[in-house]
């Protein structure tokens, strides 16, 4: 069993799952196999009716960084808020149950955050893959704050939620997800 590295890790990975058994192995392994390891991994099962919770518990038995929360189905926003309350990291890295992280994602996003202490939210591009893992399309997003804000207001090209890396205290201070 892998032991947690510190009382308060640098990062909390937050994943909410509803009937994601089909993809969970890959999603969870993509986090556990990161080049950066000082994180806790909060996984919220939102009342799944498939084998999602069983899969999550299997991984939690092998890795002490995983925090399992099983609750009734109340939707993504509520599940993320419940998970966020258990997050101990200064930063939260979001991931959806049907997505996978590049191996150095956490290391790279934390390095960017530490280089720029004023940052609150970091995102990335996206490589869309099919069910067999074959590349389909690459999406790129603006890297400049002003363009990101403009796109946010117009609901255009904004980094995917599954690439979000944000300060835990800031999101808690605004009341979390709606």
């Amino acid at each position: 069993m892998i032991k947690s590295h510190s009382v308060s890790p640098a990062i909390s990975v937050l994943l909410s799952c509803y009937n994601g058994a089909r993809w969970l192995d890959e999603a969870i392994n993509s986090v556990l196999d990161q080049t950066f390891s000082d994180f806790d991994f909060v996984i919220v099962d939102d009342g799944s009716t498939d084998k999602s919770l069983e899969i999550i518990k299997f991984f939690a038995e092998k890795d002490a960084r995983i925090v399992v929360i099983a609750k009734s189905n109340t939707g993504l926003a509520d599940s993320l808020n419940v998970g966020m309350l258990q997050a101990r990291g200064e930063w939260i890295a979001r991931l959806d149950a049907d997505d996978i992280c590049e191996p150095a994602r956490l290391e790279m996003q934390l390095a960017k955050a530490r280089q720029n202490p004023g940052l609150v939210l970091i995102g990335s591009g996206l490589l869309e893959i099919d069910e067999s893992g074959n590349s389909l399309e690459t999406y790129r997003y603006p890297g400049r704050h002003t363009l990101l804000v403009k796109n946010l207001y117009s609901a255009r090209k904004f980094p995917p939620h599954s690439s979000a890396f944000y300060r835990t205290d800031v999101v808690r201070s605004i009341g979390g997800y709606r």
Side-chain angles (χ1 to χ4, degrees), residues 6 17 25 28-30 34 38-39 43 47 52 57 61 72 85 87 93 119 121 123-124 130 137 145 147 154-155 167:
S6 64
C17 175
D25 283 345
I28 292 172
N29 277 320
S30 78
Q34 288 290 299
D38 184 22
F39 62 85
I43 306 176
S52 293
K57 287 180 176 179
E61 288 175 11
S72 61
L85 292 176
L119 291 178
L121 170 67
S124 72
D130 64 18
E137 190 167 351
H145 177 77
L147 289 175
S154 64
R167 291 186 62 86

Side-chain angles (χ1 to χ4, degrees), residues 28 52-62 66 68 70:
I28 292 172
S52 293
L53 185 56
E54 184 179 316
I55 293 167
I56 295 164
K57 287 180 176 179
F58 171 79
F59 278 97
E61 288 175 11
K62 296 177 184 271
I66 297 176
V68 181

Side-chain angles (χ1 to χ4, degrees), residues 73-137:
N73 181 257
T74 56
L76 180 61
D78 181 65
S79 295
L80 293 176
N81 287 332
V82 167
M84 192 182 338
L85 292 176
Q86 297 301 312
R88 296 179 300 120
E90 177 184 1
W91 292 89
I92 290 179
R94 274 284 294 120
L95 184 69
D96 289 327
D98 62 345
D99 292 328
I100 54 177
C101 295
E102 291 289 335
R105 175 200 173 178
L106 299 180
E107 181 179 356
M108 292 171 64
Q109 287 184 314
L110 184 61
K112 186 72 165 175
R114 287 180 172 164
Q115 290 169 359
N116 301 280
L119 291 178
V120 172
L121 170 67
I122 299 169
S124 72
L126 162 72
L127 172 62
E128 183 179 16
I129 58 174
D130 64 18
E131 291 181 13
S132 301
N134 299 311
S135 298
L136 296 177
E137 190 167 351

